[in-house]
Amino acid sequence: MAEFILPSGNVIPQLGLGSWYMGEDPRSRQQEIDALRFGIEYGAKLIDCAEMYGEGEAERIAGEAMAGYRDRLYVVSKFYPHNASREGVIAACERSLTRLNTDHLDLYLLHWSGTVPFEETLEALYQLKTQGKIRDYGVSNLDIDELEDFCAADKVGLCATDQVLYNLSHREPEWAVKPFCDKRNMAMMAYCPLDQGALVHHPELITIAERHQATAAQIALAWLTRQKGVVAIPKSSSIARTKENLDSVKIVLTEEDIRELDKAFPAPVNEHEGRIAIR
């Protein structure tokens, strides 16, 4: 699978496993563990979590799924804005490490902007990085103005990513966030890469998929991961869908495919359309 070199020199895989909505129904717990573990054994190298997901239960599920495979995985988690103080970030990280049953996170993100000054949050992230508790840090759901402010406050200059809503139906980050990330060699992580399943029914995607003997979901994911620095994190509790998502790396889109996708899903053309959505 493709990888991208971050400002720190560390490498992040460009396709992984999401966990949003996992851990919310105890009846689905084993199915979710099984889907993640299958994905890991099938070759996925990244798992994305957050303390918000299932109020920590998604991290516990991921921790069980990756047992025995931690050394070959890139693990991401996120902390609440109300935990973004210096003491709060450090305590939240320790809780996430315990739930994930690991001694470090590869990437730790502020989940969205809150009231704590970025400078204070960054001091905690620097400390965690110095201690080896995290290898890289970044943000999630920050629009361009907030992202610029965060990076201006980052005296070390190693912000690794902004994780945002990005897919064919939501191309708003291309207006300003993606160019900013590109200029700083930051990754842009795309959550909801299939628009919570809506894209799998789009006729244009289905038509292109038929040409590749693939699925609409695979085309949507291939469109994302063909872009330098874009990391897609589709979530599925189904083993079959997890396999399908990971197999998207085998697809090479043609110039004709890209033209047709651009026509069906136009990029933003003004600043208003380029304001990112937050979820």
Side-chain angles (χ1 to χ4, degrees):
M1 294 185 183
E3 298 177 325
F4 180 72
I5 301 174
L6 298 170
S8 64
N10 295 326
V11 173
I12 184 171
Q14 285 190 248
L15 181 64
L17 306 170
S19 64
W20 192 17
Y21 292 123
M22 286 187 178
E24 297 186 357
D25 186 347
R27 296 170 297 181
S28 303
R29 192 175 194 280
Q30 191 58 51
Q31 181 182 352
E32 292 165 351
I33 292 171
D34 291 344
L36 288 177
R37 191 165 185 88
F38 169 82
I40 295 165
E41 292 176 343
Y42 194 65
K45 295 181 180 179
L46 182 152
I47 295 182
D48 176 81
C49 302
E51 65 173 346
M52 185 189 81
Y53 301 164
E55 288 300 317
E57 192 59 29
E59 289 180 321
R60 293 188 183 94
I61 286 169
E64 288 193 38
M66 68 186 194
Y69 294 99
R70 176 63 184 96
D71 290 346
R72 74 187 207 190
L73 288 172
Y74 189 99
V75 180
V76 184
S77 198
K78 300 177 280 291
F79 55 94
Y80 277 119
H82 62 250
N83 288 331
S85 66
R86 181 169 185 143
E87 296 79 10
V89 173
I90 292 168
C93 183
E94 292 291 350
R95 292 192 296 269
S96 289
L97 292 175
T98 297
R99 289 189 290 259
L100 286 159
N101 192 28
T102 185
D103 63 355
H104 74 279
L105 297 171
D106 295 280
L107 181 59
Y108 200 33
L109 310 179
L110 170 64
H111 206 150
W112 63 89
S113 181
T115 58
V116 178
F118 290 145
E119 289 84 356
E120 182 176 350
T121 302
L122 281 159
E123 286 300 323
L125 294 170
Y126 299 154
Q127 179 177 331
L128 289 168
K129 186 173 170 66
T130 298
Q131 294 172 337
K133 300 293 181 67
I134 66 173
R135 290 185 173 167
D136 277 303
Y137 57 86
V139 294
S140 176
N141 290 309
L142 266 60
D143 210 333
I144 185 59
D145 296 337
E146 297 168 322
L147 182 59
E148 288 176 341
D149 289 345
F150 185 88
C151 288
D154 180 14
K155 60 187 179 183
V156 176
L158 294 179
C159 181
T161 189
D162 189 5
Q163 184 179 123
V164 297
L165 174 67
Y166 183 48
N167 56 53
L168 278 165
S169 294
H170 294 276
R171 298 181 62 173
E172 296 88 351
E174 293 177 18
W175 175 261
V177 172
K178 182 66 166 63
F180 182 87
C181 289
D182 288 346
K183 186 176 181 179
R184 299 180 70 97
N185 208 41
M186 293 166 52
M188 191 176 79
M189 298 185 71
Y191 69 78
C192 293
L194 303 178
D195 202 15
Q196 296 188 300
L199 285 171
V200 304
H201 306 294
H202 194 282
E204 189 63 44
L205 281 170
I206 292 171
T207 297
I208 295 173
E210 289 173 350
R211 293 205 295 260
H212 289 269
Q213 297 182 317
T215 66
Q218 290 174 328
I219 299 302
L221 291 172
W223 177 82
L224 285 169
T225 57
R226 66 181 284 276
Q227 301 179 57
K228 182 180 179 181
V230 174
V231 178
I233 45 172
K235 173 261 179 183
S236 180
S237 299
S238 160
I239 288 176
R241 286 289 175 83
T242 299
K243 181 180 184 299
E244 176 186 332
N245 291 340
L246 295 175
D247 281 341
S248 66
V249 300
K250 301 175 183 178
I251 296 169
V252 179
L253 297 177
T254 66
E255 291 183 6
E256 179 185 1
D257 296 332
I258 300 303
R259 284 195 298 270
E260 291 178 8
L261 290 170
D262 284 339
K263 183 176 180 180
F265 304 94
V269 294
N270 60 53
E271 184 176 3
H272 176 72
E273 290 181 357
R275 307 306 286 184
I276 68 168
I278 297 178
R279 294 185 183 180

